[in-house]
């Protein structure tokens, strides 16, 4: 089952270029029903748990940037109230890799019963969520066996991007720019996976710390949250994802020479603000690992360690950053000699609420 890889997680990480190539070859057909609520409508709601919730957070930004349709993301585990809601979503989209997560299924079912149109985005055909939703969009990442979500997460990101592109676009020309970048994405992802040494060396360094703060802004915030989750799950290191701009509102107090920061640099308007955050952190003697697109070589003077990733469209860059985060977590756990595919206390799918 491991196909020559030491762990299922590593095998699944390496499947990503092929999976993404397949997803982008499929054109997503129209999926959003007409606006039956008229003026009171407020776009779409994305719900999920864990990594799938992080994909919802990124999906909100992808959908809003591409289509201008308002999107919200909520934790399925915190979505209790439907009747009291004044919002009228045109669709509620439930994301679940397994399609069996009880919290997500229950929340989506409540929305369906309240009269909302429901869409399941799942990796498992015929799973519970696909049976209860009106419409299903499959992520087609193939069976994911390692407990930590990897290929299913990037497949969710690219699927959500396709879903965004299938909506009436704010700038129709944007779809054309993205086509070329999407085509080049699998090879760029492969280049990251081929640089095992760079990730392993940074990961061994990370593994020496007890606490790690991951920061990002905009569409890189969900990636910072996902990086922290991956670290917690498989390395058991306490890691926290934090919006870069929120550091000074509290989390900065935790930082010290033994509590490093992993900074996910964006290529969009968040770049300057991320640089400010990194400078702020460095001024306090805090070690920084920057994960940034090529062209940011100057960061080498500022950060302690830099991992440069191929540069792509700002909406696709998070996919590459996510792969780097997975590699870091994997190699950190490997150096700590932990049971990577079956971390303690966790099950692959959580079928109780
Ligand atoms: C993280 C992880 C979990 C799942 C969560 C939702 O690596 O695997 O956080 O993302 O339990 O699972 P699904 O997507 O199957 O609903």
């Amino acid at each position: 089952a491991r196909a020559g890889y030491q762990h299922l997680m590593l095998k699944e990480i390496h499947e990503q270029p092929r999976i993404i190539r397949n997803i982008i070859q499929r054109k997503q057909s129209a999926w959003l029903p007409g606006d039956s609520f008229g003026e009171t409508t407020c776009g779409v709601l994305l719900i999920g748990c864990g990594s799938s919730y992080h994909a919802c957070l990124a999906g909100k930004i992808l959908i809003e940037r591409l289509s201008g349709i308002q999107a919200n993301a909520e934790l399925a585990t915190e979505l209790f109230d439907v009747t009291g809601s004044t919002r009228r979503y045109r669709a509620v989209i439930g994301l679940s890799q397994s399609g069996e997560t009880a919290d997500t299924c229950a929340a989506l079912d409540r929305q369906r019963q309240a009269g909302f149109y429901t869409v399941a985005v799942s990796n498992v055909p015929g799973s519970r969520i696909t049976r209860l939703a009106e419409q299903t969009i499959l992520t087609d990442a193939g069976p994911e066996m390692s407990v930590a979500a990897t290929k299913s997460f990037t497949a969710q990101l690219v699927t959500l991007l396709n879903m965004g592109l299938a909506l009436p676009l704010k700038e129709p020309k944007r779809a054309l720019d993205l086509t070329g970048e999407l085509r080049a994405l699998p090879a760029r992802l492969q280049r990251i996976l081929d640089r095992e040494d760079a990730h392993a060396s940074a990961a061994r360094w990370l593994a020496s710390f007890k606490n790690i703060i991951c920061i990002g802004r905009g569409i890189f915030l969900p990636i910072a949250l996902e990086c922290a989750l991956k670290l917690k799950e498989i390395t058991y290191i306490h890691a926290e994802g934090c919006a870069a701009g929120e550091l000074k509102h509290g989390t900065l107090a935790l930082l010290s020479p033994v509590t490093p920061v992993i900074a996910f640099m964006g290529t969009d308007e968040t770049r300057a603000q991320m640089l400010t955050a990194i400078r702020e952190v460095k001024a306090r003697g805090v070690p920084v690992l920057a994960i940034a697109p090529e062209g940011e070589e100057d960061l080498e003077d500022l950060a302690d360690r830099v991992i440069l990733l191929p540069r792509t469209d700002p909406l696709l860059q998070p996919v590459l950053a996510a792969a780097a985060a997975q590699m870091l977590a994997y190699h950190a756990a490997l150096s700590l000699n932990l049971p990577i595919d079956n971390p303690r206390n966790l099950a692959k799918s959580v079928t109780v609420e």
Side-chain angles (χ1 to χ4, degrees):
R2 288 191 260 116
Y5 289 100
Q6 198 178 346
H7 294 93
L8 288 167
M9 182 179 176
L10 190 62
K11 169 180 167 268
E12 289 164 358
I13 287 174
H14 279 270
E15 283 169 7
Q16 293 176 110
R18 180 182 52 75
I19 292 164
I20 287 173
R21 192 169 294 120
N22 289 340
I23 300 174
I24 61 187
Q25 275 164 5
R26 275 195 325 243
K27 203 172 165 311
Q28 176 63 47
S29 50
W31 56 274
L32 186 63
D35 186 353
S36 57
F37 295 114
E39 294 289 282
T40 55
T41 189
C42 104
V44 299
L45 173 67
L46 297 135
I47 64 171
C49 304
S51 296
S52 289
Y53 170 65
H54 298 154
C56 291
L57 292 172
K60 166 192 157 66
I61 298 176
L62 290 170
I63 288 174
E64 289 188 342
R65 292 264 175 91
L66 290 169
S67 70
I69 288 177
Q70 198 189 326
N72 283 328
E74 297 215 39
L75 282 166
T77 38
E78 287 294 324
L79 192 73
F80 314 110
D81 184 27
V82 281
T83 47
S85 170
T86 53
R87 297 183 197 282
R88 299 219 168 272
Y89 292 108
R90 274 168 74 180
V92 181
I93 306 162
L95 262 77
S96 176
Q97 184 283 128
S98 62
E100 304 293 338
T101 300
D103 293 305
T104 311
C105 289
L108 196 68
D109 202 33
R110 282 197 299 273
Q111 301 291 325
R112 188 184 60 78
Q113 286 172 26
F116 293 104
Y117 183 82
T118 53
V119 180
V121 175
S122 178
N123 196 35
V124 181
S127 58
R128 195 172 149 209
I129 201 166
T130 68
R131 297 194 308 270
L132 71 84
E134 266 105 343
Q135 188 185 153
T136 294
I137 295 172
L138 292 172
T139 48
D140 284 334
E144 189 174 67
M145 315 289 271
S146 188
V147 164
T150 53
K151 61 176 182 172
S152 63
F153 177 72
T154 50
Q156 284 169 335
L157 295 182
V158 181
T159 301
L160 288 163
L161 183 100
N162 271 350
M163 289 169 70
L165 286 171
L167 295 169
L169 299 182
K170 268 201 284 205
E171 307 163 63
K173 185 183 141 295
R174 194 74 177 84
L176 276 177
D177 306 339
L178 276 166
T179 312
E181 292 299 302
L182 274 167
R183 256 193 235 117
L185 192 63
R188 288 180 175 144
L189 190 50
Q190 188 60 51
R191 272 174 58 204
I192 297 175
L193 304 183
D194 290 342
R195 289 182 43 227
E196 193 114 27
D197 289 353
H199 291 91
S201 143
R204 281 192 296 272
W205 175 73
L206 285 176
S208 66
F209 296 103
K210 299 236 173 335
N211 299 284
I212 298 173
I213 308 293
C214 305
I215 62 169
R217 260 191 112 111
I219 201 165
F220 290 89
L221 174 56
I223 304 303
L225 297 173
E226 177 62 8
C227 182
L229 181 61
K230 289 286 89 92
L231 286 167
K232 281 186 278 200
E233 282 184 292
I234 63 167
T235 71
Y236 309 152
I237 295 171
H238 169 242
E240 206 180 304
C242 180
E246 285 293 303
L247 278 179
K248 57 185 175 300
H249 297 293
T251 306
L252 214 46
L254 283 178
L255 300 181
S256 76
V258 296
T259 304
V261 163
I262 304 179
F264 288 92
M265 279 286 287
T267 40
D268 52 8
E269 68 285 352
T270 62
R271 180 183 174 275
Q273 297 152 335
M274 281 303 296
L275 275 177
T276 308
I278 295 173
R279 285 202 191 95
E280 224 167 51
V281 161
K282 275 314 302 174
R284 290 167 175 81
V286 176
V288 172
L289 163 61
I291 301 185
E294 278 158 5
E296 296 286 0
E297 282 72 8
D298 288 357
L299 273 176
E300 274 154 14
D301 301 330
L302 187 61
D304 301 73
R305 283 173 173 263
V306 181
I307 292 184
L308 291 173
L309 308 177
R311 178 180 285 266
T312 181
D313 185 277
L315 294 186
L316 300 182
Q317 198 71 41
V319 176
L320 301 180
Q326 295 165 359
M327 296 273 280
L328 284 173
Y330 174 79
H331 282 286
L334 188 68
S335 76
L336 295 167
N337 202 19
L338 292 170
I340 293 178
D341 288 330
N342 293 292
R344 69 183 177 211
N345 307 339
L346 297 176
K348 181 65 182 162
S349 68
V350 187
T351 52
V352 287
E353 270 182 72

